[in-house]
Every structure is written in structure tokens, then in C-alpha cells.
Amino acid sequence: MDNNNVQRDGFSSRLGILFAAAGSAIGLGNIWKFPYITGVYGGAAFILVYLLCIALIGLPIMLSEFTIGRRAQKNAIGSFKTLKPNSPWFLTGWMGFIAAFSILSFYGVVAGWTVDYIVKAITGAYVGLDADAIGGLFVGLISNPVMTVVYQLIFMILTGLIVYGGIKDGIEKYSKILMPLLLVIIVILDVRAVTLPGASEGINFLFSPDFSALSAEAVLVALGHAFFSLSLGMGTMITYGSYIGKKEDLGSMALQVTIADTVIALLAGLAIFPAVFAFGVEPAAGPGLVFITLPNVFNQMAGGMIWGVLFFLLLAVAALTSAISILEVVVAYFAEELKMPRHKATILATAAISFVGALAGLSYTSVLGNVLIPLPGFGSLVIFDWLDMLSANYLLPLGGLFISIFVGWIMKKEDVIDEVSNSGAIKISWFGAFMILAKVVAPIMIAIVFLNGIGIFKF
Ligand code: PFF
């Protein structure tokens, strides 16, 4: 490898990078959140806005993150220290580190629920129950301290085991198995859903534009989701970028990952809504959509047990390939900046995040349900919601803002050109457009969304 310092682990193939980076992007955000916000905010009209956010802001920031990471060959914090020594820019990396820690803490809890639902689907726990009883089953899970913590731990240990193997023999190896599996499952579910009698109503719900439902809030939600869905603003793609070989074309990789993420989100919507409408079930918002509405749908479908197992397996696989990318941000920092052996770093990071994650999970139970933490602009929140809101509304937008400013204004233009063109080996006719987006469009739009999100001004 052409790394500048001691032998650094890295991805071994182009396909491996694509699977790993797309695996990071494609997660719970695509499979339950995207379909439901699309439904709430006007179907196809919302999708159009979302696509604009992805193209104008998501894509340039993903390329910026890849560029920073591969240029510096370091973790998220070390990258800023390397590229802009003796400056406060490393704080951007720190913000990403804190975001990674916070996000994985609550993400692991939700992923734990999906593991529990694989078991529920296999054992037929919700078979024969009516909608209310299925709702009760879900509430029973999230308010049960032991089950919440145990399932979250199982998921975190799986995540830790993959990261323990390193980049090539852990993250890349498993992404190459899990991502094709995810694709196969989602295509099977899509074919089943759209061929159900009465599926067209669900397809209309998802794709017929309703511009009247499109509010300023919808634009904010679209941009916020673009960040979360593409795993941006928290150093994940900086860290993964640092493992990308110098011969790879960063621009086309960023484009392919962005397209893959968007296509899977659309396929998820197409798997969920036609089935929901075909059986005349009211689509619920939020976690209820997958944990309450869908079991109800599976109950009414022929072969419902199989569809249930496949669906929750899909969710768990999607969550796993995202979780490993978040854990890697923390592990890479421990290993490189704190000079810890990588194995020790992985164990420590997994244990620390599992601990905070357990607190997040317990905050939906009576154990920690009365512990409220204030967050400016959002009142007082239980631990789970506090971590979620802190990262979604503060850390990710600010991270994205600083990352685009860093590549647009702080890094030397020749260095950026050198990195994205592989020292002139690739033609980058799009570079001017990329710079306008990174320098002006992305920072301004993110700033508006950020100020709006925390309630400083409303438009
Ligand atoms: N992109 C993931 C999803 O859509 O579920 C979540 C995520 C992963 C967010 C990695 C942030 C991150 F760094």
C-alpha cells in the first residue's frame, strides 16, 4: 500500500469499499425512517426535495469527507490535525467523535429491538394478535429493562466482533457478505409487496406528488435526513476515506454510494407501503411503522412468518453494516491518537458505547425514565431522545458545515484537486461545480437548516 507511515490497514478492493461505504449509508434510516417521512411530507413532492438535498449538499459533503480522510490517512480527529496543524480545526473531528458515540448509543438500542423481532417472528409471538395487542407487545419490549439491555448488548457485541477483525478482514469481509444479502432480501420483499392485490394504493401514496403537504418543515426534514442517511457530518466517511486506496476515483465512489443509498430507500418504501395499503392497515408514523404496523400486515399475509423473518433480518443487517462504520470512528481514534493496540481499542470502544447505550435503552423504562436532561431549543429530554436530538440537530449539521468549509475554503485548492484527481490521473471536469457546492451552496443551506432546527429563526 502507498500509505506514508507504518503499515495501515485498508480496503483491498473497489467493490469492498463500495459495499462498506454503502453499508454505512444504508441503515435503519433508509428502511423505516425514509418511507414514513416520505408518506407524511407529501410523497413524491418530498422525494424531489430530498433528491435535491442529496445532490446539492449530500454528494459534495461525502466527497469532501473522502477527500479529507484519504489525503490525511488518519482517523477523523487526526485528519484535521494533519491537514491543518496547530489550529482549532481538530475540534470538527472531535464533534464527529462525540456524534459517533451518541448515535451508536441509541442506534444500538433500536437495532437490539430488531434482533428481538427476528426472534418474535420466528417464534410466532405476534401471530393471531390484533393491532392493539401487537402495539402492547412493542411497548412491553421497550419498557422491559432486561430485554432492552440484553438485545442491545447482543447487537453491540456482533458489531464489535466485526470491527475487531480490522478493515480488510473485518469490515470489508462482512460488508461483502451482508450487503448482497440485504439486496436479495429487499428485492424479494419488493416483488411480494407490489404483486399483492391492492398494492397500487400504496404505490400512489409513495409516489404521487402532493405539493400541498410540502412545507418549510418538510425541507428541513429532508436535509436532516439526507445527512443521517448518507452517514455524513460525523467523520464516518472521513475514516472510511482514509482506508481507500490512492488509485480509486473518489468522485465516482461518492456518486455510487449516494445513488445506492437513495435507491435502497426507495425500494424500502416500495416494500412497505403497498403491503400496508393492500391490507387496509393505517400506516403509523415512527418506530410504530415497522414494529407495530408491519407485524399486523404479516399476520394477514399468506406465509407471513417468512416475510416477517426476512423483513426483520433485513433491518438487522442494514443496522449492522451502519453500526460498524460508526464504531470504527471511535476505534480508529483510540488506536491512532491514543496509540492503543487496535484490539484493545475495539473492546474499550464497544464496552463504553454499550454502557451509554444501556442508559439510553433504560431511559424508555421506569429505571431511568424520569432522568431528564436539558437541550437548548428542545426542553428536557430522556437520555435516548437527548442523544438523538443532540446529534441530529447540533452535531451532524455543524459537522457537515465545517467539513464543507474546510474543503471549500481552508484546504489548498491544489491539494483538493490533487487528491480528487489522483494527481492528475483522472479528468475532473466537474471540479468547478463541486467547489461552488462545497464553498457556498452547502454551507449556506446547512446554516439555514441548523439555525431553524434549534429555533433561532423560523422561515
Ligand atoms: N446512515 C445510517 C442510516 O441511514 O441508518 C445511520 C448512520 C450511520 C448515521 C453512520 C451516521 C453514521 F455515521
Side-chain angles (χ1 to χ4, degrees), residues 22-31 100 103 107 225 227-237 261 318-319 321-323 325-326 329 396:
S24 169
I26 297 165
L28 296 171
N30 301 58
I31 297 173
I103 290 181
Y107 205 78
H225 187 66
F227 263 90
F228 187 80
S229 190
L230 291 173
S231 307
L232 300 176
M234 53 165 281
T236 307
M237 295 300 176
D261 185 65
T321 52
S322 295
S325 74
I326 316 179
V329 173
L396 295 190

Side-chain angles (χ1 to χ4, degrees), residues 258-294:
T258 304
I259 291 175
D261 185 65
T262 312
V263 168
I264 295 288
L266 294 173
L267 288 180
L270 211 49
I272 292 176
F273 286 110
V276 167
F277 280 86
F279 291 101
V281 179
E282 248 330 279
L289 179 64
V290 294
F291 294 112
I292 301 172
T293 309
L294 288 186

